Amino acid sequence: MQDINHDNIHRFNSLICQSDRISIVTHMRPDGDAMGSSTAMYHFLSMLGKKEHRIIVPDPYPAYLDFITSEIPSESISAHSANKQEAEEALANSDLIICLDFNAFHRTDVMAAALEASKAEKVLIDHHIGPDRDKFAVSFSETQISSASELLYHILMAFPQIEGDATRLPAACATALMTGMTTDTNNFANSVYPSTLVMASSLLAAGVDRDNILSELYNRHSESRLRLMGHMMKDLLKITEDGVAYIVLDMETMLKYNVQEGDTEGFVNMPLSIGKVRMSLLLKEEEDRIRVSIRSKRGTSANRCARMFFNGGGHENAAGGCLNKPGDVTSMAEVPEYIEKYTHIYLTEHE
Ligand code: 5GP
Ligand code: MN
């Protein structure tokens, strides 16, 4: 972890000390790692005595993550989509902006221009390939790590106020870090490194209630979510001769099963349990585009496929993007053909 060195920690610490107004921002459609790392940062800043710090998300995060943000006052966490003017004023008036779990401003979608324009010093804490280092006063970028939450844990451990003692972290901070790492590793199923287990061990020893985290994350779903999963795996899953599994979820089906944000989390991984499947795609229809999630097995790059054919990117084996409608496809009926054609080209010509 080259970026976690004395100089960078000192500069980050100094920026925090000399800043009054601090904004914490993360990527659009925030997931467990985005909210885990942001929430942990918030509580750490509170511990340092900061008074005017806040989290600004591009759009709302799923309700199942409420349990980690519950100790943040409602006025200190807001969505750009709910109040654009307030969010943009806060970004413009910040002394310091801490960017978590994304590598470039465009990943914050509607907030990108305001981030770019803000005169605030910016700090990056991220685990994606290809960080936009030029935009940041200090960058902590590490790809051989489970999550932004794990990276933040190691950064905080290096702070003089913590000195490697996880029991000094506020409890809500430690819980949020463990939650973000747990969701990004799919509960220790992927991207687990020796450093990940060190983090998990030290947070457990410090008193984090992992059983409660698992119960909040995985045992509170709606009945309709499980029934939707059954329908998807039984009726909607297609597998091509190249070993590409894909599921297209249209708005009508999502309405029928009352799909809420976050409800399909994890479903894209399931087809990888089939031996012959090398790559799995889940496509969800939105008003003007189709969201794409891609997962792949070792030896096949979801990241490159997302970059080349799905207007996106991500990690080697977990990536995402979108298809524009109209643009890449004119109707949902064309989606299967698009997927089969371009994943075939990708796997036969580019892998
Ligand atoms: P998910 O499938 O869970 O939405 O996303 C998986 C990974 O792909 C995430 O770590 C995220 O960073 C990346 N990703 C998702 N959507 C996009 C996108 O539109 N553009 C880029 N560059 N990365 C994405
Ligand atoms: Mn992440």
Side-chain angles (χ1 to χ4, degrees):
M1 292 186 217
Q2 279 189 346
D3 287 340
I4 306 183
N5 55 51
H6 179 268
D7 278 3
N8 273 349
I9 295 293
H10 179 73
R11 283 160 66 204
F12 186 21
N13 200 4
S14 303
L15 285 172
I16 293 172
C17 288
Q18 69 202 36
S19 302
D20 291 325
R21 287 158 302 191
I22 305 178
S23 293
I24 299 163
V25 301
T26 189
H27 59 78
M28 62 178 149
R29 295 184 305 117
D31 57 6
D33 189 29
M35 292 318 299
S37 54
S38 299
T39 300
M41 192 74 240
Y42 178 90
H43 289 299
F44 185 71
L45 294 177
S46 301
M47 183 193 124
L48 297 185
K50 291 290 143 186
K51 298 275 184 283
E52 292 181 63
H53 53 302
R54 57 195 294 167
I55 298 175
I56 306 172
V57 288
D59 43 11
Y61 55 92
Y64 76 90
L65 293 171
D66 283 346
F67 78 100
I68 50 168
T69 58
S70 62
E71 290 183 30
I72 302 177
S74 58
E75 66 274 14
S76 300
I77 184 162
S78 58
H80 182 281
S81 61
N83 192 335
K84 178 173 187 268
Q85 192 186 348
E86 186 200 350
E88 299 203 346
E89 277 174 17
L91 291 173
N93 296 328
S94 294
D95 305 313
L96 173 64
I97 300 178
I98 304 173
C99 299
L100 290 150
D101 200 28
F102 66 88
N103 55 359
F105 292 155
H106 71 84
R107 294 281 296 124
T108 66
D109 201 30
V110 288
M111 269 167 36
L115 278 176
E116 186 84 56
S118 175
K119 299 266 190 299
E121 296 281 13
K122 290 155 200 151
V123 171
L124 178 73
I125 299 172
D126 179 52
H127 68 130
H128 293 91
I129 305 162
D132 218 345
R133 286 181 187 267
D134 294 351
K135 303 280 167 70
F136 300 93
V138 185
S139 296
F140 296 96
S141 169
E142 175 65 51
T143 54
Q144 299 294 101
I145 202 162
S146 67
S147 53
S149 298
E150 185 194 329
L151 181 57
L152 179 59
Y153 164 85
H154 296 295
I155 293 168
L156 299 187
M157 285 297 110
F159 263 68
Q161 298 86 341
I162 302 296
E163 283 185 311
D165 179 359
T167 64
R168 294 192 192 170
L169 293 173
C173 170
T175 298
L177 292 172
M178 184 78 113
T179 303
M181 178 275 288
T182 300
T183 58
D184 250 28
T185 60
N186 211 350
N187 197 11
F188 293 94
N190 44 261
S191 317
V192 172
Y193 294 83
S195 60
T196 317
L197 298 179
V198 168
M199 167 206 190
S201 171
S202 115
L203 290 179
L204 271 182
V208 167
D209 186 350
R210 193 175 120 81
D211 289 345
N212 185 56
I213 292 173
L214 295 190
S215 163
E216 292 282 357
L217 288 176
Y218 303 121
N219 294 343
R220 296 182 55 124
H221 297 303
S222 63
E223 178 183 338
S224 61
R225 176 186 176 272
L226 198 67
R227 299 209 181 272
L228 169 69
M229 186 179 88
H231 173 53
M232 286 167 67
M233 299 308 155
K234 180 166 168 289
D235 307 316
L236 304 182
L237 174 65
K238 303 279 182 288
I239 303 174
T240 73
E241 286 190 356
D242 299 310
V244 173
Y246 69 89
I247 297 171
V248 181
L249 207 49
D250 59 26
M251 293 207 283
E252 195 184 333
T253 308
M254 288 191 274
L255 211 61
K256 181 174 163 200
Y257 286 90
N258 187 27
V259 175
Q260 306 296 312
E261 190 62 45
D263 270 0
T264 55
E265 191 77 46
F267 289 177
V268 64
N269 294 295
M270 291 176 175
L272 292 181
S273 65
I274 301 166
K276 66 180 175 187
V277 170
R278 301 166 66 182
M279 188 158 75
S280 169
L281 292 86
L282 172 61
L283 290 92
K284 284 164 70 180
E285 183 184 16
E286 291 179 359
E287 282 302 331
D288 55 351
R289 58 187 169 185
I290 302 152
R291 281 261 148 232
V292 185
S293 280
I294 310 179
R295 301 292 184 270
S296 61
K297 287 182 182 164
R298 187 180 289 186
T300 301
S301 172
N303 173 49
R304 284 212 313 139
C305 185
R307 277 171 181 249
M308 293 183 73
F309 298 111
F310 295 95
N311 306 305
H315 308 284
E316 187 62 7
N317 299 119
C322 67
L323 290 182
N324 296 309
K325 172 171 70 89
D328 298 308
V329 290
T330 48
S331 71
M332 289 306 285
E334 288 177 15
V335 173
E337 195 186 324
Y338 183 100
I339 299 171
E340 296 200 13
K341 177 179 170 187
Y342 288 108
T343 56
H344 180 71
I345 292 174
Y346 177 66
L347 291 174
T348 52
E349 295 177 20
H350 299 284
E351 271 286 312

